[in-house]
Amino acid sequence: MGLCIVLCSQGRRGRFGLWDKENKAYRSAAGGFFAVFPGSCLFSLKKRNEWVMGLEMVETSRLWARRVARIEPEWVEIVAPHLCRSRYGEAYWDEKQGAVYGKETVICGGLHVVEGRRVHYGRVDKKAAHEVFLREGILGGGLRRKTRFLDHMEAMREEIKGLEDKLRRPGMLWSEDAVVRFFGSRIPLEISTAAAFHKWREAHEDSLMLGMADVVWEELKGLEFFPDTLRHEGEEYPVYYHCAPGERDDGVTIGVHVDQLPVLPAWLPGWGIDGNLEERVELLLRGLPKDYRKACQPIGDVARGFAELWMGAPKETSIERAIAGYVSERTGAMVPVSEFDFGKFPEHLMTKIWVCDDEGDELAMGMDVAELKLRLADRMKARFEAAATADVERRGMSRWDGESLPEEVMTAGGPTFPALVDEGKTVGVRAFTILQEARESHRAGGARLMVLAAEREVDYLRKKFPMGLLAKVELGRMGIEIEDLILLTAEGVAGGDFPRSPEAFAKLNETSRGRWHEAAVKIGAALDGIMEAVREVREWIAAHEKDRNHGEIAADLEDELMWLFRAKWAWRAGYERLIDYPRRLRAIRSRLGRVKSLPLVKDLEKMDLVCHHWQGWFTEWMAAPEDARLWDAGWLLEEWRVQTFAPDVEVKGKVSEKRVAAALEKRL
């Protein structure tokens, strides 16, 4: 390095160079090439040194370097900074450091002695660093700290995005360049780090509040005809705008709560919004048959006149009738309402109807109000019945201190079924339109009431539920939560259906003390047996699912396990059925034993008989696994499987193909 210092300090840039593969020589920092003299010890090295320096340079047929040494390129910058110059670029915002960084390249002569060194860009180019800070730090969301002006900017951005959707001018109103100029005119040039900015912001944040005029330079007219709310006969409907050709909500969408749908006139969406009324009317007129179209000339003037008359006015009839009346008054021509064709509208002018529930979740979306009413008829009926029985509904009960629940309440729309509802930490009461759903809800609500009344026993079971090690290990993988087991224990303690009156429930709580552990032990024992047996069945399925002869049986068993071990299977099975699961799995294992010992055709014949009824039900259940109306039929089919495939296993209740067929027929 000492030699390098001497030569570089003398300005001898031609004495060191970088190996050039194409020219098979060292490129000198002074421009030209030189080679290592054959007499040098470096000449015979198999691996070339990338950088070398020669003490003597001799020129004969070419320029030779004698007394050569290997050097590191960084030495050049250290010992001869006066011979080097730096070039900076690739500035970027480092969110973690909260500053603008870039890359530095140090050049000596024509050689890059340092490449891609990370540098603080604010120290080498304040203007460029300031620009990157504005674009990437502020507009790009690179400031980690939450600030009032950024919240305001994002709100402004969303507002302008909404205007762009309304006017169908995506990306044409919000100008990032305008925002950068706005902030650039207020934030000092020397600020390009988060720390410096936040210190400055404390006293100047009010000056950073964007206004509409700072972002949108043109005057926007007619925005009052693009309302956010549509009002009609006392009802208010939110209006949504979206400019996204090809998407289902492109254009204008009217939001309708499911309770508003019955009173929404079928003709109202045909008006759209007043902001594009003239365009809609002109398209309707141009879509008329030739004879009627000629009577409406000049179409542009007619459409404009109609729009001027109706924009901002309350709508009391369909747009087709209004246009026909206007044309008749203006030209004397009679245009039948049936001749107007909305089907020729571009997609963005077809008004969409979005129907939601109380939580704002979508129930349906379409363009035909009558079709939506038909599609949601059951839901609207259910809501009507719920409203009709509002005096039954309660929330937040920790104990049952209300009135008894009747099995059924008749309303103008049909019967409803009041039931307890599990609210997690409390219990409520509501009415259902489906009996099976009411029963399941009452089960859960009744179990929750018992859990709330038996705090000491429940706390013990949550800590030490009696089950084996295998069951504890497999519990989560099998989709069982300890809370489900607690509720199942409550159901076991109840010994049957939960009461429907507070007096009967209070009596049940008194008589059930001391029985919690007994019920839990039965559940734990059942789980131990289930975990052991289901593993054996799954192993058989995995071993035979691709087998040419046994593949059908494996697929059938997989479907059966899918039903038995569906989501929340333990709770949905119920206490009595859960402790009976080992018998069902014993029946499956019995079937596998018969498959092994008897001709395969016997099992296939039985499977054809069962699948004739099973497949249709199973497909329907897979499409609607939450529909409680399908569950009773599923359990009956399962019992029929036990009877058919495992005659050595006892059957619970009366079951036959005839009973199965009858149950499937009336399940809904």
Side-chain angles (χ1 to χ4, degrees):
M1 186 172 176
L3 176 62
C4 176
I5 293 173
V6 173
L7 294 178
C8 288
S9 63
Q10 295 175 357
R12 303 287 183 88
R13 291 186 298 179
R15 298 293 180 90
F16 63 88
L18 170 67
W19 178 250
D20 188 319
K21 292 182 179 180
E22 291 184 6
N23 292 285
K24 295 184 178 180
Y26 286 91
R27 182 183 294 275
S28 169
F33 295 89
F34 66 85
V36 176
F37 188 70
S40 171
C41 62
L42 298 184
F43 181 81
S44 59
L45 290 178
K46 291 183 179 180
K47 184 178 180 181
R48 301 268 182 190
N49 291 303
E50 287 292 308
W51 291 83
V52 298
M53 171 172 278
L55 182 61
E56 299 179 21
M57 307 299 288
V58 178
E59 187 169 5
T60 56
S61 58
R62 62 188 302 185
L63 186 62
W64 300 96
R66 302 179 61 186
R67 299 176 67 186
V68 182
R70 179 186 65 82
I71 65 169
E72 296 296 334
E74 295 85 357
W75 297 351
V76 177
E77 181 190 18
I78 296 172
V79 302
H82 59 289
L83 299 180
C84 300
R85 58 186 174 87
S86 292
R87 188 171 67 200
Y88 303 94
E90 300 183 40
Y92 66 96
W93 175 255
D94 188 318
E95 184 176 338
K96 185 176 181 180
Q97 296 296 324
V100 180
Y101 285 87
K103 293 184 178 180
E104 177 186 15
T105 299
V106 179
I107 303 171
C108 182
L111 301 180
H112 293 191
V113 295
V114 177
E115 282 196 89
R117 181 163 59 197
R118 179 176 150 108
V119 294
H120 193 297
Y121 220 72
R123 297 171 184 166
V124 298
D125 191 337
K126 289 184 179 180
K127 184 176 180 180
H130 188 65
E131 177 85 6
V132 172
F133 166 70
L134 295 178
R135 290 190 180 275
E136 299 182 18
I138 294 181
L139 265 72
L143 293 178
R144 292 186 169 184
R145 190 181 303 179
K146 190 175 180 63
T147 63
R148 185 163 51 91
F149 90 95
L150 282 179
D151 291 341
H152 176 77
M153 182 187 73
E154 287 306 315
M156 180 68 67
R157 194 202 302 260
E158 287 301 312
E159 181 180 352
I160 293 175
K161 172 64 169 61
L163 293 178
E164 291 174 346
D165 283 336
K166 283 184 178 182
L167 302 175
R168 296 196 67 78
R169 297 173 58 187
M172 298 177 67
L173 297 181
W174 173 267
S175 170
E176 297 231 332
D177 290 337
V179 178
V180 169
R181 281 192 289 271
F182 173 82
F183 288 130
S185 66
R186 288 159 173 76
I187 302 173
L189 182 66
E190 60 270 15
I191 290 180
S192 61
T193 66
F197 171 71
H198 288 307
K199 184 176 181 180
W200 174 88
R201 177 183 60 82
E202 290 176 358
H204 301 87
E205 187 161 17
D206 288 341
S207 68
L208 300 179
M209 297 300 174
L210 279 166
M212 185 72 72
D214 298 315
V215 182
V216 181
W217 291 348
E218 61 182 282
E219 184 179 356
L220 300 177
K221 297 181 180 180
L223 289 178
E224 67 273 18
F225 298 120
F226 293 87
D228 294 320
T229 302
L230 183 65
R231 295 176 176 85
H232 182 75
E233 294 185 352
E235 296 289 340
E236 293 188 354
Y237 307 96
V239 181
Y240 308 101
Y241 302 85
H242 191 40
C243 182
E247 295 189 13
R248 67 171 189 153
D249 61 343
D250 181 35
V252 176
T253 301
I254 299 175
V256 180
H257 189 275
V258 64
D259 290 341
Q260 294 176 305
L261 189 57
V263 299
L264 177 67
W267 51 263
L268 187 60
W271 284 91
I273 44 102
D274 287 346
N276 57 32
L277 182 58
E278 182 179 340
E279 182 183 3
R280 298 170 70 84
V281 174
E282 184 170 341
L283 287 171
L284 286 172
L285 292 174
R286 294 191 184 281
L288 290 171
K290 183 177 180 181
D291 291 341
Y292 295 119
R293 189 170 63 248
K294 288 174 64 177
C296 298
Q297 298 295 336
I299 286 178
D301 291 344
V302 174
R304 192 175 306 110
F306 179 88
E308 290 172 356
L309 178 66
W310 281 94
M311 286 173 68
K315 312 302 189 286
E316 299 172 350
T317 186
S318 68
I319 189 173
E320 309 99 289
R321 292 186 181 279
I323 295 173
Y326 179 78
V327 170
S328 176
E329 290 179 8
R330 179 173 178 132
T331 68
M334 301 298 294
V335 179
V337 173
S338 59
E339 295 296 338
F340 292 101
D341 185 6
F342 287 92
K344 296 181 179 180
F345 274 11
E347 190 65 26
H348 72 274
L349 287 181
M350 299 292 291
T351 306
K352 288 80 175 174
I353 311 298
W354 181 75
V355 186
C356 68
D357 59 13
D358 292 334
E359 287 73 38
D361 296 327
E362 179 180 316
L363 298 178
M365 186 171 179
M367 291 178 281
D368 187 330
V369 175
E371 187 272 332
L372 287 171
K373 289 180 178 179
L374 182 62
R375 199 192 316 175
L376 296 175
D378 289 343
R379 183 177 289 270
M380 291 190 293
K381 175 175 175 288
R383 292 186 66 85
F384 172 78
E385 293 171 349
T389 57
D391 57 330
V392 177
E393 295 183 334
R394 294 189 61 185
R395 294 180 182 275
M397 297 191 306
S398 57
R399 61 188 182 87
W400 195 351
D401 54 2
E403 298 178 354
S404 299
L405 295 180
E407 292 280 353
E408 181 179 304
V409 174
M410 289 301 300
T411 71
T416 59
F417 308 96
L420 296 173
V421 179
D422 181 8
E423 297 174 338
K425 295 182 179 179
T426 58
V427 176
V429 178
R430 59 161 288 198
F432 294 81
T433 58
I434 298 174
L435 176 60
Q436 293 84 348
E437 289 182 0
R439 288 173 178 169
E440 288 298 314
S441 180
H442 197 73
R443 273 185 64 221
R448 179 62 63 190
L449 272 181
M450 291 198 66
V451 168
L452 293 173
E455 186 176 350
R456 184 174 58 82
E457 292 91 338
V458 169
D459 286 344
Y460 178 81
L461 291 178
R462 284 195 176 110
K463 296 174 184 177
K464 297 181 179 180
F465 200 92
M467 59 182 136
L469 179 60
L470 179 60
K472 290 180 180 179
V473 171
E474 295 290 316
L475 207 62
R477 192 181 67 81
M478 293 293 286
I480 304 176
E481 298 180 1
I482 191 66
E483 196 62 27
D484 292 338
L485 299 183
I486 299 295
L487 293 175
L488 282 166
T489 305
E491 187 176 26
V493 169
D497 294 338
F498 289 97
R500 302 189 66 83
S501 70
E503 296 80 13
F505 222 102
K507 184 177 181 180
L508 174 62
N509 282 331
E510 287 294 328
T511 58
S512 65
R513 291 175 182 173
R515 300 212 305 262
W516 284 79
H517 186 73
E518 178 186 349
V521 167
K522 290 183 179 180
I523 292 174
L527 288 175
D528 291 339
I530 291 169
M531 301 305 174
E532 186 67 36
V534 76
R535 177 185 295 180
E536 179 183 333
V537 175
R538 291 198 183 280
E539 287 175 355
W540 190 94
I541 292 173
H544 295 83
E545 60 184 350
K546 295 182 180 179
D547 186 274
R548 184 176 63 181
N549 297 317
H550 295 86
E552 286 186 62
I553 298 174
D556 181 56
L557 289 173
E558 186 64 45
D559 287 351
E560 184 178 4
L561 292 186
M562 194 176 297
W563 157 250
L564 288 174
F565 297 100
R566 62 200 186 277
K568 294 187 72 67
W569 63 272
W571 168 250
R572 289 177 175 174
Y575 176 79
E576 291 296 336
R577 288 195 180 104
L578 178 66
I579 61 177
D580 189 43
Y581 257 54
R583 179 184 65 88
R584 302 177 191 277
L585 291 169
R586 191 166 73 250
I588 295 176
R589 295 163 78 181
S590 172
R591 176 185 179 183
L592 295 181
R594 290 171 179 276
V595 167
K596 184 177 180 181
S597 62
L598 298 175
L600 187 61
V601 68
K602 289 187 175 293
D603 188 273
L604 295 177
E605 287 174 352
K606 294 177 180 179
M607 196 168 73
D608 287 342
L609 176 65
V610 170
C611 286
H612 174 69
H613 298 286
W614 169 270
Q615 280 302 329
W617 171 86
F618 185 76
T619 302
E620 198 170 353
W621 171 73
M622 286 290 288
E626 303 298 320
D627 191 342
R629 292 173 293 182
L630 299 170
W631 297 355
D632 286 343
W635 291 117
L636 187 60
L637 279 164
E638 180 61 32
E639 203 60 44
W640 190 36
R641 280 179 168 275
V642 173
Q643 183 186 73
T644 304
F645 290 110
D648 57 317
V649 177
E650 68 276 14
V651 175
K652 294 289 183 71
K654 295 180 179 181
V655 61
S656 65
E657 184 180 4
K658 185 177 180 180
R659 288 177 180 271
V660 168
L664 292 175
E665 187 175 345
K666 69 175 185 180
R667 64 188 178 277
L668 294 177

